[in-house]
Amino acid sequence: SYTTDTKSREENKKTIESLYSLSVDIKKIRRLKEWVLLQDVAYVKEIAGILQEMGADETAVANILERCPEAILHSPAEINSQRALWQLVCQNEKQLIKLIEQFPESFFTTKYHQNQKANIMFFQELGLKNNIITRFLTSAPNIFYNPVEKNKNMIETLQRNYLNLGGSEANMKIWILKLLSQNPFILLNTSTAIQENLEFLQKNDFTDREVLQLLSKLKGFIFQISSTTMQKSMVFSKNVFKCSDQELKQLVLKCPALLYYSVPVLEERLEGLLKEGISVAQIRETPMVLELTTQIVQYRIKKLSALGYDIKSGSLESLNGTKKDFEVTYGKIQSKKERPIFNPVAPIHIED
């Protein structure tokens, strides 16, 4: 709704002066979003005042306006409405201003105010905790721009499929809430995409129970890929591991990444492992290693090698898992290495 034609327009002197008085870096705005400075109407002092009322100090205000200068083009009424809306899920204004500092663009998108409000209410009714909803508002704001009916339809589609696949009514709510909190972007998909991907898995002989297992393991990311991508990835894995359809299915259940990652990603990761002297047989034994990026694998191999652990002859299990899992494994190998073979305090057995 704002003009971006910069040639024939001059900067608004009043806007510039007001921003200067707040110690805002004008050069930064000129470089990133100069069009903001060309608008006839801006509410610099009013928006700064609202932010200060919420507890933002001078530095925080300047920082917010530098990162999201279009904030000054919203009327105080719009921003106060947005403030009241976010307060529905924030513990207090201290938490709210902290979120605005970190994610100003999410807060100052007021265009979908009614949709945002309806979706917040819907998520609360669904049973999502406020701290999860605030996380969505900042990291996945797009899902609030949808009309609430679209989000409701998506949730109903997921619930229906969960029950059709043999999930129990008693566990359904927990399953949905967990899936949403792990991957809110699921709501940006269409019901058709969900249906197609589930049918693809069933056509590939995954039982209903196994499909449900994959959905939970993949945190719903399975709905963000196409059946074509899955098909190509499965063909690639089958060729690499030289296995039957049944064996491939077991590998996928063990490591859903074989289904989720595209062929170029799998190729690059496989190549990285082979360069480190790891065999295809070892990877087939522990396919979960393909969930890690090449950089992570190289770093972990290097750390283990420094302890004298030879990954080529050992199990790849020690490379697996999250950063925390790896640190635990590494710690165990390290303490094993440092433990003395001879225990000086052990009793000495002397034969009579």
Side-chain angles (χ1 to χ4, degrees):
S1 60
Y2 307 111
T3 174
T4 51
D5 176 19
T6 58
K7 286 173 190 168
S8 59
R9 316 233 3 222
E10 282 184 10
E11 287 182 353
N12 184 327
K13 286 190 176 70
K14 194 182 168 197
T15 301
I16 302 285
E17 282 163 20
S18 302
L19 289 168
Y20 265 130
S21 70
L22 292 165
S23 307
V24 173
D25 184 345
I26 311 280
K27 284 180 190 166
K28 200 172 181 181
I29 297 179
R30 279 194 185 114
R31 198 171 63 246
L32 299 172
K33 292 180 180 175
E34 194 195 13
W35 59 272
V36 171
L37 304 172
L38 307 177
Q39 307 306 315
D40 296 331
V41 180
Y43 303 92
V44 183
K45 287 178 180 166
E46 294 87 339
I47 302 307
I50 293 172
L51 293 171
Q52 283 159 347
E53 246 177 62
M54 284 192 264
D57 60 18
E58 193 184 326
T59 313
V61 170
N63 191 21
I64 291 167
L65 298 184
E66 280 165 15
R67 284 187 58 196
C68 184
E70 57 269 42
I72 63 172
L73 303 177
H74 293 291
S75 70
E78 282 178 310
I79 297 312
N80 277 321
S81 295
Q82 198 71 341
R83 175 184 179 179
L85 182 65
W86 281 47
Q87 278 174 328
L88 294 173
V89 286
C90 285
Q91 294 164 355
N92 48 42
E93 293 218 308
K94 193 181 171 185
Q95 188 202 5
L96 175 54
I97 199 66
K98 204 174 165 187
L99 288 175
I100 297 171
E101 273 186 76
Q102 290 175 293
F103 308 95
E105 290 86 358
S106 300
F107 179 77
F108 288 107
T109 301
T110 61
K111 194 178 165 188
Y112 307 93
H113 185 81
Q114 288 311 316
N115 283 359
Q116 286 181 342
K117 190 173 185 176
N119 279 308
I120 285 175
M121 303 293 206
F122 168 59
F123 290 141
Q124 285 176 327
E125 282 163 24
L126 202 61
L128 278 171
K129 290 190 168 63
N130 282 343
N131 63 326
I132 301 285
I133 299 174
T134 52
R135 203 180 81 214
F136 288 0
L137 275 169
T138 53
S139 60
N142 298 21
I143 66 170
F144 293 88
Y145 308 159
N146 282 340
V148 71
E149 290 71 30
K150 184 182 184 303
N151 286 339
K152 278 183 179 169
N153 287 342
M154 280 302 298
I155 296 293
E156 282 163 14
T157 301
L158 289 167
Q159 289 172 330
R160 193 170 53 249
N161 280 301
Y162 177 78
L163 293 174
N164 289 346
L165 291 166
S168 73
E169 191 90 48
N171 290 332
M172 184 173 70
K173 188 181 174 183
I174 297 165
W175 184 79
I176 285 285
L177 293 180
K178 193 177 177 186
L179 200 62
L180 268 184
S181 57
Q182 286 173 329
N183 180 16
F185 297 104
I186 220 172
L187 294 170
L188 298 176
N189 295 312
T190 63
S191 306
T192 322
I194 287 184
Q195 222 56 54
E196 277 175 11
N197 286 1
L198 292 177
E199 280 167 20
F200 168 81
L201 293 171
Q202 285 164 326
K203 275 179 200 158
N204 278 276
D205 294 329
F206 286 93
T207 65
D208 288 354
R209 191 188 171 88
E210 286 166 345
V211 172
L212 211 50
Q213 190 186 324
L214 279 172
L215 294 192
S216 304
K217 269 193 176 182
L218 275 168
K219 302 172 183 174
F221 287 115
I222 200 161
F223 298 135
Q224 285 172 255
I225 42 176
S226 68
S227 49
T228 318
T229 304
M230 289 195 276
Q231 181 65 50
K232 285 177 182 171
S233 297
M234 282 178 78
V235 169
F236 172 77
S237 298
K238 192 179 176 182
N239 291 337
V240 166
F241 297 119
K242 297 181 173 50
C243 55
S244 66
D245 288 345
Q246 191 54 37
E247 287 167 331
L248 177 64
K249 203 177 86 164
Q250 292 313 311
L251 282 173
V252 168
L253 288 169
K254 216 173 175 185
C255 173
L258 293 175
L259 200 63
Y260 175 67
Y261 288 124
S262 64
V263 171
V265 172
L266 291 172
E267 248 171 348
E268 188 215 338
R269 293 187 179 185
L270 196 75
E271 221 170 273
L273 289 162
L274 298 175
K275 269 184 192 166
E276 295 293 336
I278 291 163
S279 67
V280 172
Q282 277 177 294
I283 300 167
R284 182 174 167 170
E285 198 58 45
T286 317
M288 293 80 76
V289 79
L290 290 166
E291 289 172 2
L292 306 168
T293 66
T294 306
Q295 288 82 350
I296 292 173
V297 167
Q298 285 168 343
Y299 167 76
R300 291 183 181 182
I301 289 175
K302 205 173 175 184
K303 278 200 85 171
L304 292 172
S305 298
L307 293 179
Y309 184 89
D310 183 14
I311 202 76
K312 290 172 217 157
S313 55
S315 161
L316 297 187
E317 284 290 344
S318 48
L319 290 176
N320 275 346
T322 60
K323 189 182 177 190
K324 201 175 174 184
D325 295 334
F326 175 71
E327 278 163 10
V328 171
T329 306
Y330 178 79
K332 282 179 185 168
I333 294 171
Q334 194 176 30
S335 59
K336 209 182 240 180
K337 188 177 185 290
E338 288 167 1
R339 203 176 294 139
I341 295 164
F342 166 67
N343 186 347
V345 292
I348 297 167
H349 298 287
I350 301 164
E351 286 183 20
D352 293 330

